[in-house]
Amino acid sequence: PSMRSPQALQSAAHAARGPPRNVCSTQAAKDAQTVPVPCPHISDPHGAPRPSGVPMFLSPFHKKSTREAAAVDEEPVEITSADYDDAVQTPPRPSAPKDEFSVILDVGEDDATPISSSVGVLIYIAMWVASLLAPLILFALYRSGRYLLFTILVAAVVAAYAPDDVIPRLEGLRQWFRETNPRYFKSARVVLEKPLDEGKPTVLCSHPHGIFCLGWGQLFLMDELKHVYFCFSSALFLTPFFRLFTRVLGRPGSVSKDAVLSFMKQGKSIALIPGGFEDATLHSPDVDRVFLKSRKGFVKYALQFGYSLTPAFSFGERKSFDNVQGNYDFRFKLNSVGIPAIVPYGDPRLPLLPKRVPIEIVVGAPLELPKIEKPAPEDVDKYHQMYIDHLIAFYNRHKEAFYGDEAVDLEIW
């Protein structure tokens, strides 16, 4: 082998290296002579070209693709001992999976800006917490004589309950949060197994709740889901600050029965977290859990109006916070009266912030349901179990690609 020319070694290295790692090539891409799109279910591709349509500053690949780009362009590259080892020892790589999903957000570790982006994440969490504590905050400001700040917050409270046509939507602020918050994490991706059809109403079921609904919050900001009304806890929706915050950014709503039925009568797609506060109570950094066995109302309403059920799962969110475990019966009773019974601990420097872990939010294919105006309990039970099976199969399609050796079964409570 030592007698082989550098050109021969170079050709052998490129041939053994094969196509860029974790890249799916489609016939359509070949026909259009486009750059192959990285497989979105592979969390950490190495050397893959940036997918078409993804801005350079959002791609984790652009700093790693020089070597592969050189290989594609057939420009001279330096031959190393590692290249030689690849040329003579590396077996052919298996063909890429055939599944092709749409990556609508892709921020890699090289693109992360944890210091500046922590501002956006902290605002999101602070609005959540401050909204629940609004009466105490207003009372403390008034008693301490800080009347200017008190007046400003009272004005915000009044605005929070103004009619929809009065509240402006701040598109620039929405885009800032959309692009800034994901950069806090080690990596962040949002993937669609199948693009949502705006003409077919669906219930987007977001799992799990997590501590502060990080996956739900990112989906709320995505342009591809702007037509969806994101419903959350009635107790939280009635509080002023988070209510106003979400209203200027998108389309929020209450998860109350009246609100959900009102949206469905108008044929509007909605998003909700079926597990609710119980999901948060069950939050564990070691295993994904969803509180679903007794949650059947969303299935009943979907049957009544002929909606499909679309699962979404935030892989990695479980690792963003630690949480006290056990004593669930008592904590579920607190949940039943609108109290999130959690004791979270995130980043050691500021425990209210999540840990900087990889996050991958995947929106699955919808489960189509028939329209049954008056579904019997047996109908609800049947399609509820079908959704659970659909969710488990969806979870299993992605768990090993994201968690690797740490992948375990999804726990249904």
Side-chain angles (χ1 to χ4, degrees):
S2 61
M3 300 300 293
R4 297 171 67 180
S5 67
Q7 291 82 2
L9 282 174
Q10 176 178 319
S11 299
H14 291 323
R17 186 180 299 124
R21 298 176 186 174
N22 300 330
V23 175
C24 298
S25 295
T26 67
Q27 187 60 44
K30 293 178 181 177
D31 295 340
Q33 297 182 346
T34 57
V35 177
V37 180
C39 297
H41 52 283
I42 303 298
S43 298
D44 187 21
H46 301 284
R50 175 171 58 94
S52 175
V54 177
M56 179 68 75
F57 70 90
L58 285 181
S59 174
F61 312 129
H62 69 276
K63 295 184 179 180
K64 304 177 184 177
S65 61
T66 303
R67 185 173 172 187
E68 294 293 346
V72 173
D73 295 337
E74 297 184 351
E75 295 178 2
V77 295
E78 180 182 359
I79 300 298
T80 66
S81 60
D83 289 323
Y84 179 76
D85 290 342
D86 283 344
V88 297
Q89 297 179 12
T90 304
R93 293 188 178 90
S95 59
K98 296 181 179 179
D99 296 323
E100 293 185 13
F101 309 136
S102 300
V103 181
I104 59 176
L105 178 71
D106 198 340
V107 177
E109 187 170 2
D110 292 339
D111 305 302
T113 55
I115 297 178
S116 59
S117 58
S118 62
V119 175
V121 177
L122 189 58
I123 290 174
Y124 170 74
I125 295 175
M127 284 290 183
W128 183 301
V129 176
S131 198
L132 293 173
L133 300 176
L136 295 178
I137 293 174
L138 292 172
F139 178 76
L141 290 175
Y142 183 80
R143 288 296 302 270
S144 62
R146 299 179 180 179
Y147 299 120
L148 177 60
L149 187 54
F150 171 81
T151 303
I152 293 174
L153 292 185
V154 168
V157 170
V158 173
Y161 303 98
D164 285 339
D165 55 356
V166 175
I167 301 296
R169 291 223 165 79
L170 306 180
E171 189 61 30
L173 184 62
R174 173 192 177 93
Q175 292 300 324
W176 183 82
F177 277 106
R178 177 191 181 277
E179 297 181 5
T180 300
N181 286 14
R183 295 173 181 271
Y184 172 83
F185 298 97
K186 189 174 182 180
S187 64
R189 294 160 61 87
V190 179
V191 178
L192 302 181
E193 281 194 344
K194 182 179 180 181
L196 270 67
D197 186 348
E198 295 188 24
K200 294 182 178 180
T202 190
V203 178
L204 180 64
C205 305
S206 181
H207 307 280
H209 182 287
I211 297 299
F212 288 117
C213 302
L214 300 176
W216 179 96
Q218 188 60 46
L219 291 176
F220 175 72
L221 297 169
M222 301 307 296
D223 290 339
E224 293 78 0
L225 302 175
K226 289 175 69 172
H227 65 287
V228 179
Y229 285 77
F230 280 73
C231 303
F232 52 92
S233 165
S234 301
L236 185 60
F237 187 69
L238 289 174
T239 59
F241 304 139
F242 196 74
R243 179 189 179 103
L244 180 61
F245 178 66
T246 54
R247 291 184 73 188
V248 300
L249 294 180
R251 300 177 184 271
S254 169
V255 79
S256 67
K257 177 180 177 180
D258 291 342
V260 169
L261 291 178
S262 176
F263 287 135
M264 287 185 158
K265 288 176 181 177
Q266 301 174 61
K268 296 177 179 177
S269 292
I270 63 173
L272 49 80
I273 304 176
F277 284 156
E278 286 79 2
D279 254 17
T281 297
L282 292 170
H283 177 94
S284 167
D286 301 319
V287 60
D288 284 312
R289 296 169 174 163
V290 294
F291 189 85
L292 196 57
K293 288 183 179 179
S294 61
R295 294 292 165 86
K296 301 180 181 180
F298 71 102
V299 178
K300 178 181 177 180
Y301 300 149
L303 287 170
Q304 287 179 333
F305 293 93
Y307 275 49
S308 62
L309 299 176
T310 303
F313 207 94
S314 181
F315 291 89
E317 183 160 350
R318 78 182 196 214
K319 294 179 177 291
S320 62
F321 283 94
D322 293 318
N323 184 37
V324 172
Q325 304 295 297
N327 199 18
Y328 294 121
D329 290 340
F330 171 71
R331 294 165 70 182
F332 288 158
K333 290 179 180 178
L334 295 178
N335 295 153
S336 65
V337 294
I339 300 176
I342 56 175
V343 185
Y345 186 87
D347 191 302
R349 294 162 295 184
L350 184 58
L352 193 62
L353 282 174
K355 298 177 182 179
R356 293 193 62 243
V357 297
I359 297 285
E360 184 160 327
I361 308 161
V362 185
V363 180
L367 172 66
E368 301 293 341
L369 300 185
K371 183 175 181 179
I372 306 176
E373 294 186 0
K374 295 182 179 180
E378 295 79 12
D379 296 322
V380 175
D381 290 342
K382 172 185 174 181
Y383 290 103
H384 178 259
Q385 185 59 50
M386 285 180 61
Y387 176 73
I388 291 178
D389 295 339
H390 185 73
L391 174 64
I392 293 174
F394 160 63
Y395 179 85
N396 289 341
R397 284 198 296 274
H398 298 273
K399 67 177 183 181
E400 291 184 2
F402 184 83
Y403 291 123
D405 293 340
E406 297 181 359
V408 295
D409 291 339
L410 175 65
E411 290 188 9
I412 307 293
W413 284 58

